[in-house]
Amino acid sequence: KQEVTQIPAALSVPEGENLVLNCSFTDSAIYNLQWFRQDPGKGLTSLLLIQSSQREQTSGRLNASLDKSSGRSTLYIAASQPGDSATYLCAVHRRTDYKLSFGAGTTVTVRA
Amino acid sequence: DTGVSQDPRHKITKRGQNVTFRCDPISEHNRLYWYRQTLGQGPEFLTYFQNEAQLEKSRLLSDRFSAERPKGSFSTLEIQRTEQGDSAMYLCASSLKILFGVNTEAFFGQGTRLTVV
């Protein structure tokens, strides 16, 4: 069974500070890892997809790294803004499964 | 392409009633997933379709739950004899399988919020 853990569960930072969100998973035999954003009461918005052969993926102020051997991914958000306040979820697609396995998320608050 | 669409967005029902939710995936996507999410938790997998075939079903899915994807297009999730414990956000996602199991990005809908009173 794939276990996905996200630490910390919550994070509060002042505007402008860089954010570092961590995700760890127990089974390294994965197809890919995906980071999502979720606003309260809403669905999930895909931020970045990293294939298992990649080590990094970037989109604007977002950068995600993947270390498959150690079962870790990190999402960096540069120069945070109040609009970045949301819950961030990572999900792993394991080779032996059809499904995405999710962590519980990190809830981020960026203070103006 | 308008993304993954779910209907309704909100549903309030009395305990014991049946409810049905609909999901319209991105048109060229052959994979469709249903997830359930409760407050403060990540989404939990319920079931998965590739085209019209239901290939996996979670142990979380009791006999009261059934899902279909006729003709490999839209999907429905029905809950019979609803219980208060069924209250949750029900999320649908779709993706495209290409080449030896490689999966493209999964896209989620806005979800259906179910409240059982």
Side-chain angles (χ1 to χ4, degrees), chain B residues 26-42:
Chain B
I26 293 172
S27 58
E28 66 269 23
H29 283 184
N30 52 11
R31 288 185 163 178
L32 187 146
Y33 307 81
W34 284 99
Y35 282 80
R36 180 171 66 189
Q37 186 180 28
T38 52
L39 201 61
Q41 302 298 314

Side-chain angles (χ1 to χ4, degrees), chain A:
Chain A
K1 184 186 174 189
Q2 179 72 277
E3 302 280 350
V4 181
T5 304
Q6 291 189 247
I7 294 172
L11 189 59
S12 178
V13 299
E15 184 176 1
E17 196 164 296
N18 296 334
L19 288 163
V20 180
L21 309 179
N22 298 301
C23 172
S24 62
F25 48 95
T26 53
D27 185 348
S28 61
I30 63 171
Y31 279 129
N32 56 49
L33 184 145
Q34 201 166 346
W35 282 94
F36 293 90
R37 169 187 171 135
Q38 187 174 32
D39 293 296
K42 305 290 187 184
L44 278 63
T45 300
S46 178
L47 297 174
L48 289 168
L49 171 74
I50 310 178
Q51 298 291 352
S52 62
S53 58
Q54 297 177 309
R55 293 192 63 84
E56 197 171 333
Q57 192 68 254
T58 298
S59 175
R61 294 185 294 112
L62 275 59
N63 174 274
S65 65
L66 175 64
D67 183 343
K68 211 173 53 169
S69 61
S70 66
R72 292 182 193 173
S73 177
T74 302
L75 178 66
Y76 301 91
I77 303 177
S80 61
Q81 304 168 359
D84 294 328
S85 299
T87 296
Y88 292 83
L89 295 149
C90 75
V92 175
H93 187 186
R94 196 167 58 156
R95 288 185 179 273
T96 54
D97 276 343
Y98 295 112
K99 61 183 179 285
L100 285 170
S101 298
F102 280 86
T106 295
T107 298
V108 171
T109 302
V110 180
R111 309 186 302 271

Side-chain angles (χ1 to χ4, degrees), chain B residues 7-110:
Chain B
D7 183 70
R9 294 289 306 278
H10 303 275
K11 178 72 176 178
I12 300 174
T13 191
K14 291 184 179 178
R15 190 175 52 183
Q17 297 293 305
N18 299 342
V19 294
T20 300
F21 309 141
R22 177 179 171 122
C23 172
D24 287 274
I26 293 172
S27 58
E28 66 269 23
H29 283 184
N30 52 11
R31 288 185 163 178
L32 187 146
Y33 307 81
W34 284 99
Y35 282 80
R36 180 171 66 189
Q37 186 180 28
T38 52
L39 201 61
Q41 302 298 314
E44 294 176 299
F45 171 78
L46 292 178
T47 191
Y48 155 78
F49 290 85
Q50 180 148 321
N51 299 313
E52 66 275 9
Q54 187 174 19
L55 296 185
E56 190 173 348
K57 196 173 170 180
S58 166
R59 287 170 291 175
L60 292 174
L61 226 58
S62 74
D63 291 343
R64 297 184 297 105
F65 288 72
S66 62
E68 293 183 340
R69 193 185 181 195
K71 302 178 183 177
S73 56
F74 70 92
S75 176
T76 58
L77 177 69
E78 181 183 16
I79 309 174
Q80 296 182 326
R81 304 180 305 282
T82 53
E83 301 172 356
Q84 286 189 322
D86 297 331
S87 295
M89 174 80 89
Y90 290 83
L91 294 161
C92 175
S94 70
S95 67
L96 180 66
K97 177 191 171 182
I98 53 172
L99 295 178
F100 309 114
V102 173
N103 208 42
T104 62
E105 195 169 359
F107 292 92
F108 279 75
Q110 287 299 300

